[in-house]
Amino acid sequence: MFDILATEYRRQVVVRLDRETGTLPFETLVTSVTAMRTGLEPAALEETDREPTRIALYHSHLPKLVDTGVVEFDRETGTVAPGPRLDVVAASLEAVEKLHAS
């Protein structure tokens, strides 16, 4: 569990998908994670802001989340959806954040 949540990218994906009710376009996820990481509004983001996030998510973080059942990523349609373990991981992240805030 801690390995899954070890990076900010994966934590942000978990937070974003936990708030959703279905699938997200990959590019929407890229924009959302980039905005959360940079503190910028989505409308203020440039392509150069998004590109590092896009590469990191596509090649590293989403595959790890897919392998652990946290998300489902359809490369052909470019969509990301909650996986069967998202709820458990999101609850764990929330518990750690509450503990850390205390």
Side-chain angles (χ1 to χ4, degrees):
M1 185 73 63
F2 290 111
D3 186 45
I4 294 168
L5 299 173
T7 71
E8 183 179 359
Y9 283 102
R10 291 193 293 266
R11 289 190 302 271
Q12 295 299 334
V13 170
V14 168
V15 167
R16 180 65 164 99
L17 284 176
D18 190 46
R19 294 178 184 162
E20 287 300 314
T21 57
T23 62
L24 274 183
F26 175 68
E27 289 301 320
T28 300
L29 184 62
V30 168
T31 297
S32 179
V33 170
T34 303
M36 284 190 268
R37 292 187 74 246
T38 63
L40 297 172
E41 291 295 320
L45 295 171
E46 300 289 332
E47 182 57 28
T48 55
D49 299 320
R50 290 181 183 89
E51 189 61 17
T53 302
R54 182 179 296 112
I55 291 168
L57 288 178
Y58 191 88
H59 293 290
S60 179
H61 302 295
L62 286 180
K64 184 165 195 104
L65 292 170
V66 167
D67 289 346
T68 56
V70 177
V71 303
E72 296 175 357
F73 179 37
D74 187 332
R75 292 174 190 257
E76 288 185 27
T77 62
T79 56
V80 183
R85 294 191 62 210
L86 178 70
D87 290 342
V88 171
V89 173
S92 297
L93 178 59
E94 185 177 328
V96 169
E97 288 176 344
K98 283 182 183 177
L99 187 67
H100 183 19
S102 298

